[in-house]
Amino acid sequence: MPSQAQILPGTLDLLILKAVSLGPLHGYGVLLRIEQISQGALLIEQGALYPALFRLVRQGLLKASWGTSDNNRRAKFYELTSAGRKRLRQEADGWNRLAAAIASALNTQPEEI
Amino acid sequence: MSLLSSLRSVLSAMLNRPRVEKDTDEELRAHVQNRADDLERSGLTRAEAERRARIEFGGHEKFKEECREAAGAHFLYTLLQDLRFGARMLRKNPGFTAVALLTIAIGIGANAAVFSVVNSVLLKPLSYPKPEELVALHQVAPGAAGLADFENGLLLSPSMYFTYSEQNRTFQSLGVWTKDISNVTGLEEPEQVCAVVVSDGVLQSLSVAPQVGRWLMAADQAPRGPQRVMLSYGYWRRRFGGDRGVIGRSITVDSKSAEIVGVMPKGFRFVDTDFDLVEPLQFDRGKLILAGFGFDGIARLKPGVELAEANADITRMLPIWMDSWSNGPGTDPHAYEKWKITPLIRPLKQQVIGNVSEVLWVVMGTLGLVMLIACANVTNLMLVRVEARQQELAVRTALGAGWGRIVGGLQVESVMLGLMGGVLGVAVANGGVHLLVAMGPANLPRLSEISLDGRTLEFTVLLSLLSCSLFGLIPALKYAGPKASQTLQSAGRSMSASRERHHARNVLMIVQVAMALVLLVSAGLMIRTFLALRTVDPGFADARHLQLMRIGVPDSLIHETQRVMRTQNDILDKLAAIPGAKFAAFASEVPMEGFDSDWDTVFIEGKTYQKGEMPPLHFYKHVSPGFLAAVGTRIISGRDFTWYDVYGLRPVVMISENLAREAWGAAENAIGKRLTEDPGLPWREIIGVVQDVPERAVQEKPPAIIYWPPMVENLFGRGPAQPTRVVTFVARSERAGTESLLRDMRQAVWSVNSNLPLASVRTLEEVYDKSMARTSFTLVMLGIAGAMALVLGLIGIYGVISYMVSQRQREIGIRLALGAQQGNVLKMVLGQGAKMALVGVVIGMGAAFALTRLMTSLLFGVTAHDPMTFSGVATLLILVALAACYLPARRAMRVDPMVALRYE
């Protein structure tokens, strides 16, 4: 198992949006999907996921509806709204720019100055 | 996100509360189940899998709460929950709730009642159009000895009125007025009514349109013109049943027929006076002189004119006035320059309020202190309760409740208490206002305007919220802190009192003692003032048995001087014949009756006056033979008037002792000496010297007084004898104040002349009490406040000490078990209480020392820092504190060590 990292504050929303953008999910599914797409590198406190989901619904980025899960349990499924899709694009762009900038800064060699 | 959608989500969250709640629960539960499924697949037993899943998930309730918060509507929901919880807590502790509510309700009620008086009397503007333009033409004359003592200043003379109203540049309108008593005859029984007599310009200034008819106008002022009169609304309703047809009808006022031209509307008061009739002043312009300073001036400033400009305008007109009029041949009109007449125009409202504002502010301030003490008590109660709930709070904190949530919950409870107390307080205030109005000084201005209005209610709500935030926040701050784990550790064991634990309550108790001391010192100073006033010799004795009644004999009813005198003499004889009546006499006024007095210059024989010099003005009054003996005023030297003096028109006077001393060194020396009002008039011989009498009020220095017989020649200049037409009759009788005596007196008067009405029927004691109404009102209010403070303080101290004892029961038990004597325990507890009381007393002394200066103007015969009051009150408070500690101390002494130790 790769060593796990606490996620940075503020990035949980982005991860949730990304996870849900790949297809409607229920809460536990979101957790599994994030673990899956981060190859288990990111650790999310399970309970903390739900307040974040509620917040995103309230902000109109996700919408929720009740359905039935694979194992025949009643579950609430989340999917992206168009506003959520837009927000994901913006946040992802911003994140990528930031990550690239930091990576490039960290890779700088003395002779490059 | 738009405001609208956020509102919608909050609303839907609110409305769908139960469902949403269930959904959230289900969702979180489903998560745990899903996780458990996965764990089970990895080989765990179902039970173990579920356990692991729950642990991994973390605090179910905490996340649920966070979800709620995230979904919005959290605040309202929490509030609702807190409200329900708070209501339950209050219901569960009826004792606490009742005591707290009662304390708050009385505190708020008393404050709201006094505030409504302060608001109605001091804050609300006068009920005339544009009241800010209305001014009273007050002026002072520091150079006129004799006048300077009195707060009325120098009133206006008719000639001043003409000069001011014709020459001014700063007033829209200006007039003079005075109060009078008129006899109305021809309608049922003859009746004495209150009249205001006004010049042109007065009604225009007040600018209140008549209900019916028209105002009195310049044309109605013509001397020897037709008599016209206006009615008050009340008189119109009472005498004419509100008939609009009265306009044009005539009534008989002072035996002269007068045409009714108008009726003033309901609620219209004349500055500070209730009246029945408005009559026109009819000055004979050709005969006016400079003097005659007997009228109040009222005016309406032109828009935008400042008081200073108006004062300057009057100052400019004073020389014009002196140039335009004269006091007769041989007098120097500019002699008045020595009087240093200075205009001191003030807003009409200030004139109306008079000196009552200090009283009201002092009372308001003291009741504010009582409110603080009440809050301190409730805070103490809250502290005890919160302390008892510490376990619960600690558990909630441990389960993840935030600081804000707990403080919020406590706040909601105290706000509920505060608001409920406020509602009850309004009821208390309603009763309190009635009490205040009934009890207040009879001369409390604007009495009829006092009511609980919107502003008072606003004040009450504000006060409730303020006070509950006070007693809600302190316990919250103290116990909702991050000390939960400590509390949990000590759970179940009552520890010996830690210093820090009692800190807040001790501070509260000290503050209470200090505030109670301030209040009691103020009340004590008022008591000393009252006693000092009572010891002043008022110049009369046994006032309770002196019946007064005022009778005026109008010129139009009996013209001839001798016949007026005869009539008055006949009334005296009839009064004296009433069974049980010991003395009967009359005077132009009885001390403290408050009628406008007469003043004149007094020249003393043998003293040289510079040409044009005006000697001091002195107060004078007419008394019948036997008047001084009847009321109990001592004649120090010489003799009283006799009826021979009166009917023989002998030029004799009596003077007050202070005047005799000033002029001749001793009372006896004055006998046989002579004085006059005007060097051109014959001398009058001094036949008697009378003790000094404080004519206006006992707290004022007794003025020098000249006593004249009731019928005098050469009054106000050379001329035939004139009677004193309006006089107060006094009769000394055991039955004074009873209806039966009044019936007899009425009979006696009407048997002499059935057209004579009686007015101002009262005993001298009533007059005397009324003159001290301001002091006694303040005394009663401060007394009530002081008593409340003392009782609340007593309860507060008792509460703190007995709680301390109950907390330390175990420690005391150990001490006793280890051999401490019961006396030691008693001493320990009492000592603790005494120590705190002492600290409170010291702080309170400092505060009182600084604050009592504010009430200096209300005091008499005692300084604001009276050591006796201060030390007496301090002793009293310490004794009360010890008494309050004694019961809990005895309980502590009786602690059975075995029981205390086994208790846990």
Side-chain angles (χ1 to χ4, degrees):
Chain A
M1 195 177 191
S3 71
Q4 291 183 324
Q6 286 284 350
I7 58 167
L8 286 171
T11 51
L12 179 61
D13 287 10
L14 178 59
L15 286 170
I16 292 174
L17 288 177
K18 178 65 195 172
V20 174
S21 76
L22 303 170
L25 289 170
H26 54 69
Y28 186 59
V30 172
L31 187 82
L32 294 180
R33 178 68 52 82
I34 291 174
E35 268 181 26
Q36 181 199 354
I37 60 182
S38 71
Q39 284 97 42
L42 294 174
L43 177 73
I44 293 170
E45 200 188 346
Q46 296 188 23
L49 182 67
Y50 288 89
L53 283 169
F54 274 70
R55 193 166 52 243
L56 291 170
V57 170
R58 190 163 70 121
Q59 290 171 2
L61 303 177
L62 294 181
K63 69 174 187 261
S65 55
W66 285 90
T68 317
S69 68
D70 320 336
N71 51 1
N72 268 338
R73 283 188 203 284
R74 221 170 86 84
K76 200 155 117 188
F77 284 88
Y78 296 89
E79 56 187 311
L80 275 189
T81 63
S82 52
R85 211 171 298 283
K86 211 169 121 202
R87 171 70 65 87
L88 174 62
R89 249 195 325 273
Q90 287 168 357
E91 299 257 316
D93 285 354
W95 179 258
N96 285 335
R97 266 200 307 279
L98 180 68
I102 290 180
S104 121
L106 294 178
N107 289 331
T108 308
Q109 301 299 318
E111 59 271 23
E112 288 178 48
I113 300 172
Chain B
M1 183 177 48
S2 79
L3 184 70
L4 199 72
S5 74
S6 110
L7 208 69
R8 200 163 344 116
S9 93
V10 166
L11 259 177
S12 81
M14 279 289 295
L15 294 175
N16 301 324
R17 166 64 52 200
R19 194 174 60 78
V20 171
E21 190 81 346
K22 215 176 109 239
D23 281 3
T24 313
D25 216 36
E26 189 179 342
E27 191 179 358
L28 298 187
R29 227 179 288 285
H31 177 107
V32 174
Q33 290 301 322
N34 279 328
R35 178 68 188 155
D37 289 351
D38 283 356
L39 289 170
E40 196 178 5
R41 266 196 292 278
S42 72
L44 293 173
T45 63
R46 180 70 200 175
E48 179 62 15
E50 284 191 6
R51 200 180 76 87
R52 281 274 291 279
R54 270 202 300 278
I55 293 173
E56 279 179 22
F57 188 81
H60 184 88
E61 285 300 317
K62 175 172 166 241
F63 289 123
K64 213 166 89 183
E65 172 122 7
E66 277 180 35
C67 285
R68 246 186 248 132
E69 203 169 337
H74 169 71
F75 170 72
L76 286 172
Y77 175 74
T78 318
L79 186 67
L80 217 66
Q81 200 185 28
D82 285 345
L83 275 176
R84 236 177 301 150
F85 185 71
R88 201 163 62 228
M89 290 306 284
L90 293 181
R91 258 203 319 275
K92 257 182 62 186
N93 295 285
F96 160 80
T97 311
V99 170
L101 272 185
L102 206 67
T103 313
I104 301 168
I106 291 175
I108 288 180
N111 275 278
V114 173
F115 178 80
S116 80
V117 174
V118 167
N119 179 35
S120 312
V121 175
L122 302 184
L123 304 180
K124 260 198 289 194
L126 297 177
S127 52
Y128 302 110
K130 296 204 185 146
E132 67 284 354
E133 291 173 354
L134 283 171
V135 292
L137 297 178
H138 187 71
Q139 43 189 21
V140 292
L147 272 184
D149 297 347
F150 298 107
E151 57 185 40
N152 285 355
L154 182 71
L155 296 174
L156 272 66
S157 70
S159 53
M160 266 177 176
Y161 155 64
F162 281 114
T163 305
Y164 291 174
S165 92
E166 285 158 12
Q167 306 276 343
N168 82 78
R169 296 168 185 163
T170 50
F171 303 104
Q172 295 180 44
S173 55
L174 177 158
V176 293
W177 67 285
T178 188
K179 298 175 212 174
D180 201 0
I181 303 280
S182 284
N183 301 332
V184 175
T185 44
L187 300 162
E188 302 164 31
E189 283 187 353
E191 186 186 17
Q192 267 200 349
V193 297
C194 302
V196 285
V197 198
V198 302
S199 75
D200 187 44
V202 173
L203 290 166
Q204 285 84 340
S205 296
L206 294 177
S207 249
V208 173
Q211 171 100 7
V212 194
R214 64 164 177 88
W215 283 335
L216 293 172
M217 293 187 297
D220 304 315
Q221 297 199 75
R224 294 173 298 275
Q227 298 289 319
R228 302 214 168 95
V229 69
M230 287 184 81
L231 309 181
S232 74
Y233 184 87
Y235 193 70
W236 179 52
R237 301 288 309 191
R238 198 164 74 234
R239 281 284 170 245
F240 300 97
D243 174 13
R244 300 178 79 88
V246 291
I247 306 300
R249 274 172 63 182
S250 289
I251 54 173
T252 309
V253 181
D254 292 335
S255 311
K256 274 185 262 174
S257 172
E259 181 194 338
I260 299 169
V261 295
V263 178
M264 288 310 287
K266 188 175 182 181
F268 174 81
R269 296 186 83 222
F270 212 93
V271 187
D272 56 349
T273 314
D274 283 316
F275 64 98
D276 299 310
L277 298 182
V278 188
E279 298 166 13
L281 279 167
Q282 296 175 318
F283 298 125
D284 193 343
R285 216 182 150 131
K287 291 187 182 166
L288 289 185
I289 54 172
L290 283 163
F293 308 98
F295 298 91
D296 286 299
I298 187 173
R300 184 174 281 275
L301 295 172
K302 284 185 179 157
V305 171
E306 300 288 323
L307 288 182
E309 296 170 57
N311 278 328
D313 197 21
I314 298 276
T315 310
R316 175 185 64 81
M317 289 186 286
L318 278 167
I320 304 179
W321 166 69
M322 287 185 240
D323 289 338
S324 315
W325 311 84
S326 152
N327 272 341
T331 57
D332 175 12
H334 287 272
Y336 284 107
E337 275 160 18
K338 286 226 176 90
W339 280 24
K340 301 194 187 72
I341 300 174
T342 315
L344 213 65
I345 295 177
R346 50 193 189 192
L348 189 65
K349 189 171 155 194
Q350 194 185 328
Q351 177 92 348
V352 170
I353 294 168
N355 59 6
V356 82
S357 64
E358 297 138 23
V359 174
L360 288 181
W361 286 121
V362 165
V363 169
M364 187 82 232
T366 45
L367 283 171
L369 276 186
V370 171
M371 188 69 223
L372 282 181
I373 297 181
C375 279
N377 259 3
V378 177
T379 309
N380 252 336
L381 287 172
M382 295 287 281
L383 276 175
V384 173
R385 255 169 38 91
V386 174
E387 211 159 299
R389 279 169 60 187
Q390 245 184 326
Q391 290 283 327
E392 173 213 318
L393 296 182
V395 168
R396 278 169 65 188
T397 309
L399 288 179
W403 182 80
R405 186 72 172 57
I406 287 184
V407 172
L410 292 175
Q411 275 298 348
V412 166
E413 268 185 71
S414 52
V415 168
M416 280 170 83
L417 264 182
L419 288 184
M420 284 197 288
V423 170
L424 287 177
V426 171
V428 174
N430 197 24
V433 166
H434 287 299
L435 193 74
L436 277 178
V437 169
M439 201 177 71
N443 52 359
L444 190 67
R446 313 178 75 185
L447 201 62
S448 55
E449 294 175 47
I450 293 172
S451 63
L452 283 179
D453 60 356
R455 194 132 154 223
T456 309
L457 291 181
E458 268 170 45
F459 170 83
T460 314
V461 170
L462 209 70
L463 187 67
S464 329
L465 288 179
L466 209 73
S467 49
C468 57
S469 62
L470 208 66
F471 55 67
L473 210 57
I474 293 175
L477 289 180
K478 192 155 164 50
Y479 287 107
K483 294 180 302 182
S485 57
Q486 267 178 39
T487 312
L488 284 178
Q489 275 162 21
S490 70
R493 300 267 277 172
S494 62
M495 313 272 280
S496 298
S498 67
R499 180 177 292 278
E500 180 244 1
R501 201 164 162 190
H502 283 290
H503 192 64
R505 315 190 70 216
N506 292 350
V507 168
L508 278 174
M509 173 178 154
I510 288 169
V511 169
Q512 264 186 333
V513 170
M515 286 192 291
L517 184 110
V518 173
L519 288 182
L520 288 170
V521 163
S522 329
L525 289 175
M526 281 321 286
I527 292 175
R528 298 261 293 157
T529 295
F530 196 71
L531 292 179
L533 287 179
R534 283 284 172 185
T535 56
V536 171
D537 183 350
F540 47 77
D542 194 19
R544 199 153 53 91
H545 293 130
L546 271 176
Q547 182 70 50
L548 310 184
M549 102 191 137
R550 202 152 168 85
I551 298 178
V553 184
D555 187 47
S556 44
L557 186 67
I558 304 174
H559 176 68
E560 233 185 309
T561 300
Q562 292 280 344
R563 273 191 55 214
V564 173
M565 192 63 247
R566 236 320 123 209
T567 307
Q568 289 168 337
N569 202 342
D570 288 347
I571 294 173
L572 280 191
D573 292 343
K574 296 277 186 193
L575 288 179
I578 292 173
K582 283 199 222 72
F583 292 97
F586 66 84
S588 53
E589 72 164 353
V590 168
M592 290 163 220
E593 239 182 335
F595 293 113
D596 283 332
S597 353
D598 289 320
W599 294 82
D600 209 343
T601 49
V602 171
F603 292 83
I604 288 162
E605 191 181 30
K607 202 168 163 200
T608 48
Y609 297 90
Q610 279 160 12
K611 185 176 158 17
E613 180 187 345
M614 209 156 334
L617 286 165
H618 286 308
F619 175 67
Y620 70 85
K621 64 197 266 185
H622 300 268
V623 297
S624 78
F627 174 80
L628 298 175
V631 295
T633 312
R634 281 175 294 118
I635 295 176
I636 290 177
S637 186
R639 63 170 181 88
D640 191 5
F641 300 133
T642 64
W643 288 107
Y644 295 110
D645 295 329
V646 175
Y647 284 107
L649 293 175
R650 291 191 195 151
V652 288
V653 294
M654 293 185 283
I655 60 172
S656 60
E657 189 186 359
N658 48 13
L659 181 58
R661 280 187 196 287
E662 188 195 309
W664 295 283
E668 314 81 67
N669 299 349
I671 305 298
K673 300 291 192 311
R674 301 200 298 176
L675 52 73
T676 182
E677 316 84 69
D678 189 308
L681 296 176
W683 295 104
R684 301 180 194 273
E685 187 191 337
I686 297 164
I687 57 165
V689 175
V690 178
Q691 76 171 106
D692 292 339
V693 177
E695 270 292 322
R696 294 289 189 108
V698 282
Q699 58 266 48
E700 283 184 36
K701 201 168 132 256
I705 303 177
I706 319 271
Y707 295 88
W708 289 10
M711 186 167 60
V712 185
E713 269 183 326
N714 305 322
L715 191 68
F716 303 122
R718 199 170 283 279
Q722 287 190 28
T724 312
R725 290 187 174 272
V726 185
V727 295
T728 300
F729 282 88
V730 303
R732 192 175 274 288
S733 165
E734 294 292 319
R735 289 191 293 144
T738 63
E739 196 47 48
S740 73
L741 179 71
L742 288 185
R743 215 171 24 242
D744 291 350
M745 288 177 80
R746 234 178 273 136
Q747 278 301 316
V749 173
W750 287 340
S751 71
V752 175
N753 187 327
S754 60
N755 279 320
L756 291 174
L758 284 59
S760 308
V761 179
R762 50 196 174 167
T763 64
L764 185 53
E765 186 173 63
E766 283 163 3
V767 174
Y768 179 53
D769 287 346
K770 201 174 151 189
S771 78
M772 281 197 268
R774 191 167 94 116
T775 305
S776 42
F777 176 73
T778 318
L779 172 69
V780 169
M781 291 314 294
L782 289 191
I784 291 175
M788 278 165 84
L790 197 63
V791 170
L792 287 174
L794 191 78
I795 295 173
I797 296 170
Y798 174 81
V800 170
I801 299 294
S802 67
Y803 187 73
M804 182 199 82
V805 166
S806 74
Q807 288 294 299
R808 289 173 66 177
Q809 209 165 30
R810 193 175 137 90
E811 174 208 323
I812 293 169
I814 294 174
R815 280 173 189 261
L816 288 172
L818 292 179
Q821 295 298 305
Q822 289 194 335
N824 296 348
V825 172
L826 186 77
K827 237 187 277 169
M828 178 183 80
V829 176
L830 284 183
Q832 179 122 11
K835 209 167 67 192
M836 284 193 285
L838 212 63
V839 175
V841 163
V842 169
I843 295 174
M845 292 277 248
F849 203 77
L851 288 173
T852 48
R853 262 184 310 129
L854 297 178
M855 54 187 294
T856 306
S857 67
L858 301 176
L859 300 179
F860 174 81
V862 60
T863 68
H865 297 150
D866 180 46
M868 213 170 100
T869 311
F870 272 72
S871 55
V873 167
T875 316
L876 174 75
L877 258 181
I878 290 174
L879 286 180
V880 165
L882 285 181
C885 297
Y886 184 68
L887 278 182
R890 266 172 57 110
R891 212 174 323 128
M893 195 172 80
R894 300 242 176 89
V895 165
D896 180 345
M898 287 317 289
V899 173
L901 292 176
R902 220 184 288 136
Y903 206 86
E904 305 292 324

